[in-house]
Amino acid sequence: MDLSRHLRYFVVAAEELHFGRAAEVIGIAQPPLSQSIQRLERELGVELFDRSRRQVRLTTAGHLLLDEARELLAREERLRTLMRKAGDGALGVLRAGVPPETPAVALQALSRRITDEVPELDVDLQELTTAEQLRLLASAQLDVGLVHHPVDAADLRFGPTVDVALGVVLPRTSPLARLRELGLCDLAGHDLILAPRATAPGWHDHVLDVCRADGFTPARIRHARNPEFLLGLVLSGHGVAFEQEALARREPRVAWRPLAGDPLRRGMSAAWPADTAHPAAPRFGALAAAVLTGEGTPATPPAPDTPRPWSVVYTPNR
């Protein structure tokens, strides 16, 4: 028996105390309504309406059932609403990974956008490299991550990809800092500060391939996982690095110069398991892409000597 439907019909009939009007309110003919009430009475083993007089009245059992039915139907509606929100990714916990170099202003904007759009969703942001995110996604310990491309993973789905133009981070005292734009070949003889290959193998190999193709073979590769450590190595004269302009703005003693022709563009997008996707993962990916492209992110004034703002290009989902 569809108990909820019969109880809904009963509540309307009890409020109207007129089967004809109740049927009109529900939008059905009167005979099906009467049959539903009779079925409910048989199921419960009591009479709910006193039909012995011209005016329909509730019996004692009917009065008792009315309050219980209203509460039960309200609970059912709350349950359906709760499940609908959970299915839409608006409730629960979303475990999300973000790269260590993610700017604080971007994290702030992303958190604000998520809170504004899905206030009941608890997002557990974790600082993780691309390799760490891929491993945790595969073991179901992470729901979604912001990863650096290229990524070779057929079992993942990806959100919109954001491409960030990278430039050269170097000491402000370097002779190269006098130039407004650099070619990769201008960096010949310098060491390169780069994240360890294990953190993002695809991106690491891509950077070195582009450098060699454009005439820059690093004298030595120095590894830096943390942005502050990277800036420290640059300041110490231990090499140059390829990063977005926003990172260089953290340290006034370094300079950022664009690369001629934009040969290095770092693609980033959200990634989540294809078969066991958290319902909030696609929304997180869309919001992250919007934030990284500057939508809803507080503007940061450019440094006095920067020739142009950092370039971000939004590309369609793959």
mmCIF file of all heavy atoms in Angstrom, residues 2-20:
data_model
loop_
_atom_site.group_PDB
_atom_site.id
_atom_site.type_symbol
_atom_site.label_atom_id
_atom_site.label_comp_id
_atom_site.label_asym_id
_atom_site.label_seq_id
_atom_site.Cartn_x
_atom_site.Cartn_y
_atom_site.Cartn_z
ATOM 1 N N ASP A 2 0.475 2.238 -0.793
ATOM 2 C CA ASP A 2 1.177 3.506 -0.817
ATOM 3 C C ASP A 2 0.686 4.341 0.363
ATOM 4 O O ASP A 2 -0.229 5.168 0.238
ATOM 5 C CB ASP A 2 0.922 4.221 -2.146
ATOM 6 C CG ASP A 2 1.754 5.476 -2.285
ATOM 7 O OD1 ASP A 2 2.388 5.889 -1.296
ATOM 8 O OD2 ASP A 2 1.757 6.064 -3.389
ATOM 9 N N LEU A 3 1.274 4.086 1.529
ATOM 10 C CA LEU A 3 0.787 4.707 2.760
ATOM 11 C C LEU A 3 0.838 6.232 2.683
ATOM 12 O O LEU A 3 -0.098 6.916 3.127
ATOM 13 C CB LEU A 3 1.615 4.204 3.949
ATOM 14 C CG LEU A 3 1.227 4.774 5.314
ATOM 15 C CD1 LEU A 3 -0.218 4.410 5.659
ATOM 16 C CD2 LEU A 3 2.187 4.266 6.395
ATOM 17 N N SER A 4 1.921 6.776 2.127
ATOM 18 C CA SER A 4 2.052 8.235 2.074
ATOM 19 C C SER A 4 0.920 8.859 1.268
ATOM 20 O O SER A 4 0.339 9.871 1.672
ATOM 21 C CB SER A 4 3.408 8.618 1.462
ATOM 22 O OG SER A 4 4.467 8.210 2.288
ATOM 23 N N ARG A 5 0.591 8.254 0.141
ATOM 24 C CA ARG A 5 -0.477 8.814 -0.695
ATOM 25 C C ARG A 5 -1.817 8.747 0.031
ATOM 26 O O ARG A 5 -2.586 9.725 0.038
ATOM 27 C CB ARG A 5 -0.557 8.055 -2.011
ATOM 28 C CG ARG A 5 -1.681 8.542 -2.931
ATOM 29 C CD ARG A 5 -1.549 7.943 -4.319
ATOM 30 N NE ARG A 5 -1.630 6.486 -4.287
ATOM 31 C CZ ARG A 5 -2.779 5.802 -4.310
ATOM 32 N NH1 ARG A 5 -3.950 6.450 -4.341
ATOM 33 N NH2 ARG A 5 -2.773 4.488 -4.285
ATOM 34 N N HIS A 6 -2.098 7.612 0.661
ATOM 35 C CA HIS A 6 -3.364 7.480 1.384
ATOM 36 C C HIS A 6 -3.437 8.467 2.547
ATOM 37 O O HIS A 6 -4.504 9.032 2.827
ATOM 38 C CB HIS A 6 -3.543 6.052 1.889
ATOM 39 C CG HIS A 6 -3.744 5.056 0.788
ATOM 40 N ND1 HIS A 6 -4.729 5.186 -0.164
ATOM 41 C CD2 HIS A 6 -3.080 3.904 0.474
ATOM 42 C CE1 HIS A 6 -4.677 4.167 -1.018
ATOM 43 N NE2 HIS A 6 -3.675 3.375 -0.647
ATOM 44 N N LEU A 7 -2.312 8.683 3.219
ATOM 45 C CA LEU A 7 -2.308 9.639 4.332
ATOM 46 C C LEU A 7 -2.507 11.076 3.831
ATOM 47 O O LEU A 7 -3.182 11.877 4.486
ATOM 48 C CB LEU A 7 -0.999 9.536 5.114
ATOM 49 C CG LEU A 7 -0.841 8.291 6.004
ATOM 50 C CD1 LEU A 7 0.539 8.264 6.641
ATOM 51 C CD2 LEU A 7 -1.930 8.244 7.083
ATOM 52 N N ARG A 8 -1.919 11.396 2.678
ATOM 53 C CA ARG A 8 -2.122 12.739 2.119
ATOM 54 C C ARG A 8 -3.598 12.949 1.791
ATOM 55 O O ARG A 8 -4.163 14.017 2.077
ATOM 56 C CB ARG A 8 -1.255 12.931 0.879
ATOM 57 C CG ARG A 8 0.212 13.150 1.177
ATOM 58 C CD ARG A 8 0.941 13.684 -0.046
ATOM 59 N NE ARG A 8 0.950 12.698 -1.136
ATOM 60 C CZ ARG A 8 1.882 11.783 -1.299
ATOM 61 N NH1 ARG A 8 2.884 11.696 -0.422
ATOM 62 N NH2 ARG A 8 1.830 10.934 -2.323
ATOM 63 N N TYR A 9 -4.219 11.956 1.204
ATOM 64 C CA TYR A 9 -5.647 12.061 0.883
ATOM 65 C C TYR A 9 -6.459 12.208 2.172
ATOM 66 O O TYR A 9 -7.418 13.005 2.242
ATOM 67 C CB TYR A 9 -6.120 10.826 0.117
ATOM 68 C CG TYR A 9 -5.634 10.744 -1.316
ATOM 69 C CD1 TYR A 9 -4.790 11.715 -1.852
ATOM 70 C CD2 TYR A 9 -6.031 9.691 -2.137
ATOM 71 C CE1 TYR A 9 -4.361 11.633 -3.167
ATOM 72 C CE2 TYR A 9 -5.606 9.602 -3.468
ATOM 73 C CZ TYR A 9 -4.760 10.570 -3.966
ATOM 74 O OH TYR A 9 -4.332 10.494 -5.268
ATOM 75 N N PHE A 10 -6.096 11.434 3.190
ATOM 76 C CA PHE A 10 -6.813 11.498 4.460
ATOM 77 C C PHE A 10 -6.715 12.889 5.084
ATOM 78 O O PHE A 10 -7.713 13.435 5.582
ATOM 79 C CB PHE A 10 -6.259 10.451 5.427
ATOM 80 C CG PHE A 10 -6.643 10.708 6.857
ATOM 81 C CD1 PHE A 10 -7.937 10.473 7.306
ATOM 82 C CD2 PHE A 10 -5.706 11.226 7.753
ATOM 83 C CE1 PHE A 10 -8.293 10.740 8.625
ATOM 84 C CE2 PHE A 10 -6.064 11.494 9.071
ATOM 85 C CZ PHE A 10 -7.345 11.254 9.503
ATOM 86 N N VAL A 11 -5.531 13.474 5.076
ATOM 87 C CA VAL A 11 -5.339 14.791 5.692
ATOM 88 C C VAL A 11 -6.211 15.839 5.007
ATOM 89 O O VAL A 11 -6.862 16.666 5.661
ATOM 90 C CB VAL A 11 -3.851 15.207 5.657
ATOM 91 C CG1 VAL A 11 -3.687 16.674 6.032
ATOM 92 C CG2 VAL A 11 -3.039 14.327 6.604
ATOM 93 N N VAL A 12 -6.246 15.817 3.679
ATOM 94 C CA VAL A 12 -7.083 16.779 2.955
ATOM 95 C C VAL A 12 -8.561 16.561 3.292
ATOM 96 O O VAL A 12 -9.303 17.519 3.550
ATOM 97 C CB VAL A 12 -6.855 16.671 1.435
ATOM 98 C CG1 VAL A 12 -7.808 17.617 0.685
ATOM 99 C CG2 VAL A 12 -5.418 17.004 1.094
ATOM 100 N N ALA A 13 -8.984 15.305 3.301
ATOM 101 C CA ALA A 13 -10.390 15.008 3.624
ATOM 102 C C ALA A 13 -10.716 15.421 5.053
ATOM 103 O O ALA A 13 -11.806 15.940 5.338
ATOM 104 C CB ALA A 13 -10.671 13.518 3.419
ATOM 105 N N ALA A 14 -9.778 15.219 5.972
ATOM 106 C CA ALA A 14 -10.002 15.587 7.372
ATOM 107 C C ALA A 14 -10.067 17.100 7.533
ATOM 108 O O ALA A 14 -10.804 17.607 8.397
ATOM 109 C CB ALA A 14 -8.888 15.007 8.241
ATOM 110 N N GLU A 15 -9.304 17.822 6.765
ATOM 111 C CA GLU A 15 -9.333 19.287 6.840
ATOM 112 C C GLU A 15 -10.583 19.868 6.193
ATOM 113 O O GLU A 15 -11.136 20.871 6.656
ATOM 114 C CB GLU A 15 -8.077 19.867 6.192
ATOM 115 C CG GLU A 15 -6.800 19.564 6.981
ATOM 116 C CD GLU A 15 -5.538 19.985 6.249
ATOM 117 O OE1 GLU A 15 -5.615 20.237 5.018
ATOM 118 O OE2 GLU A 15 -4.483 20.047 6.900
ATOM 119 N N GLU A 16 -11.046 19.254 5.102
ATOM 120 C CA GLU A 16 -12.231 19.756 4.407
ATOM 121 C C GLU A 16 -13.531 19.244 5.018
ATOM 122 O O GLU A 16 -14.563 19.927 4.967
ATOM 123 C CB GLU A 16 -12.169 19.340 2.924
ATOM 124 C CG GLU A 16 -11.027 19.951 2.140
ATOM 125 C CD GLU A 16 -11.158 21.455 1.995
ATOM 126 O OE1 GLU A 16 -12.306 21.963 1.988
ATOM 127 O OE2 GLU A 16 -10.112 22.125 1.889
ATOM 128 N N LEU A 17 -13.469 18.036 5.580
ATOM 129 C CA LEU A 17 -14.661 17.363 6.103
ATOM 130 C C LEU A 17 -15.782 17.347 5.067
ATOM 131 O O LEU A 17 -16.974 17.481 5.390
ATOM 132 C CB LEU A 17 -15.136 18.032 7.412
ATOM 133 C CG LEU A 17 -14.206 17.841 8.608
ATOM 134 C CD1 LEU A 17 -14.734 18.595 9.823
ATOM 135 C CD2 LEU A 17 -14.033 16.349 8.933
ATOM 136 N N HIS A 18 -15.356 17.178 3.824
ATOM 137 C CA HIS A 18 -16.306 17.091 2.708
ATOM 138 C C HIS A 18 -15.570 16.378 1.569
ATOM 139 O O HIS A 18 -14.586 16.903 1.030
ATOM 140 C CB HIS A 18 -16.761 18.476 2.264
ATOM 141 C CG HIS A 18 -17.899 18.447 1.288
ATOM 142 N ND1 HIS A 18 -17.741 18.092 -0.042
ATOM 143 C CD2 HIS A 18 -19.238 18.729 1.463
ATOM 144 C CE1 HIS A 18 -18.910 18.172 -0.655
ATOM 145 N NE2 HIS A 18 -19.845 18.553 0.245
ATOM 146 N N PHE A 19 -15.988 15.192 1.235
ATOM 147 C CA PHE A 19 -15.262 14.374 0.280
ATOM 148 C C PHE A 19 -15.242 14.993 -1.119
ATOM 149 O O PHE A 19 -14.259 14.875 -1.851
ATOM 150 C CB PHE A 19 -15.850 12.962 0.236
ATOM 151 C CG PHE A 19 -15.393 12.088 1.368
ATOM 152 C CD1 PHE A 19 -15.580 12.486 2.690
ATOM 153 C CD2 PHE A 19 -14.765 10.885 1.136
ATOM 154 C CE1 PHE A 19 -15.151 11.697 3.742
ATOM 155 C CE2 PHE A 19 -14.333 10.077 2.183
ATOM 156 C CZ PHE A 19 -14.523 10.491 3.497
ATOM 157 N N GLY A 20 -16.319 15.670 -1.490
ATOM 158 C CA GLY A 20 -16.358 16.299 -2.809
ATOM 159 C C GLY A 20 -15.331 17.419 -2.908
ATOM 160 O O GLY A 20 -14.572 17.511 -3.889
#
